[in-house]
Amino acid sequence: LEFLDLDGKYKNYEESHDFWEICYVKSGEVTLCIDEKSLKLSKNQLLIIPPNHTHYYVSTDSTASAFVICFESVSNILNPLSMVRFNLKDEQIYCLERIIFESENTFKMNDDDLLEVLASPNFGGKQAILLQLEYLLICLARQLSSEANCDLVFLSDKNFYADFVGVVISFLSENVRERVSLNDICDR
């Protein structure tokens, strides 16, 4: 979680990593350079960068600010959301504002540019951030799936739970002679 208040002559370093990154432009314009392609994002636009794509941010707009969220996920639902420029709706902007509020009241950036929990963080701040992020991603997936010619398909509850139950049964079968805790199953 990082808020970038860009001063009009901003370029960060080129990076690539094994986790997802969301860039939300809160004001002004920011150019996102990904794999040697440039995408201009304006106020209230968002882009999800998939893992292992080289990227950096550039802005010459003195009013530009962006909020960056990095996270890990193994969900395949994110694949169709990646590299799509989203024009955010009020509900999605509200989710991002809640994430920003919770992050400002839960974390600080230390001298090594790593997040550190504040001495007196918001109660439940981490959980609130995760819940808002999940809801934001669901809203984006709904938005994309409602567009014409979209092949994004959600699993029915029946398929989802059948897959989930199958994973649990498989894990228990593999460890039938072991002492297994709920944490062990959740880690799976």
Side-chain angles (χ1 to χ4, degrees), residues 80-111:
L81 302 179
S82 68
M83 308 301 279
V84 175
R85 184 179 326 171
F86 286 96
N87 294 309
L88 299 180
K89 298 176 181 178
D90 290 343
E91 180 180 25
Q92 298 158 339
I93 293 167
Y94 178 76
C95 285
L96 285 157
E97 288 172 351
R98 296 300 313 155
I99 292 170
I100 292 169
F101 172 82
E102 291 293 343
S103 67
E104 288 173 341
N105 291 284
T106 305
F107 298 105
K108 69 176 181 177
M109 195 70 75
N110 67 20
D111 294 336

Side-chain angles (χ1 to χ4, degrees), residues 124-144:
K126 289 181 189 179
Q127 292 83 356
I129 291 166
L130 288 174
L131 288 171
Q132 288 294 330
L133 177 59
E134 288 178 354
Y135 185 66
L136 171 66
L137 294 170
I138 289 168
C139 288
L140 295 173
R142 287 177 179 167
Q143 179 180 336
L144 187 63

Side-chain angles (χ1 to χ4, degrees), residues 35-48:
D35 298 331
E36 300 181 20
K37 295 177 186 166
S38 295
L39 292 163
K40 189 169 283 198
L41 298 177
S42 299
K43 179 180 179 178
N44 293 331
Q45 289 188 324
L46 173 145
L47 189 93
I48 301 175

Side-chain angles (χ1 to χ4, degrees), residues 12-181:
N12 74 331
Y13 58 92
E14 195 172 284
E15 64 180 358
S16 178
H17 37 68
D18 62 354
F19 46 84
W20 293 84
E21 184 169 323
I22 293 175
C23 176
Y24 161 58
V25 176
K26 188 166 172 61
S27 62
E29 287 188 346
V30 175
T31 301
L32 196 49
C33 302
I34 306 171
D35 298 331
E36 300 181 20
K37 295 177 186 166
S38 295
L39 292 163
K40 189 169 283 198
L41 298 177
S42 299
K43 179 180 179 178
N44 293 331
Q45 289 188 324
L46 173 145
L47 189 93
I48 301 175
I49 306 166
N52 304 313
H53 285 263
T54 303
H55 61 279
Y56 61 94
Y57 302 95
V58 177
S59 181
T60 57
D61 183 344
S62 62
T63 66
S65 63
F67 189 68
V68 176
I69 304 170
C70 297
F71 63 99
E72 294 178 341
S73 177
V74 295
S75 175
N76 291 332
I77 196 67
L78 290 176
N79 293 335
L81 302 179
S82 68
M83 308 301 279
V84 175
R85 184 179 326 171
F86 286 96
N87 294 309
L88 299 180
K89 298 176 181 178
D90 290 343
E91 180 180 25
Q92 298 158 339
I93 293 167
Y94 178 76
C95 285
L96 285 157
E97 288 172 351
R98 296 300 313 155
I99 292 170
I100 292 169
F101 172 82
E102 291 293 343
S103 67
E104 288 173 341
N105 291 284
T106 305
F107 298 105
K108 69 176 181 177
M109 195 70 75
N110 67 20
D111 294 336
D112 296 323
D113 284 338
L114 299 173
L115 285 180
E116 189 175 287
V117 176
L118 294 172
S120 297
N122 264 4
F123 176 78
K126 289 181 189 179
Q127 292 83 356
I129 291 166
L130 288 174
L131 288 171
Q132 288 294 330
L133 177 59
E134 288 178 354
Y135 185 66
L136 171 66
L137 294 170
I138 289 168
C139 288
L140 295 173
R142 287 177 179 167
Q143 179 180 336
L144 187 63
S145 68
S146 69
E147 294 175 3
N149 302 321
C150 177
D151 60 359
L152 182 62
V153 177
F154 290 99
L155 288 176
S156 68
D157 287 345
K158 182 179 177 182
N159 289 342
F160 172 79
Y161 289 110
D163 290 346
F164 176 72
V165 169
V167 169
V168 172
I169 290 172
S170 174
F171 180 75
L172 292 174
S173 296
E174 293 169 8
N175 295 284
V176 71
R177 300 200 188 283
E178 304 294 324
R179 184 180 184 122
V180 177
S181 71

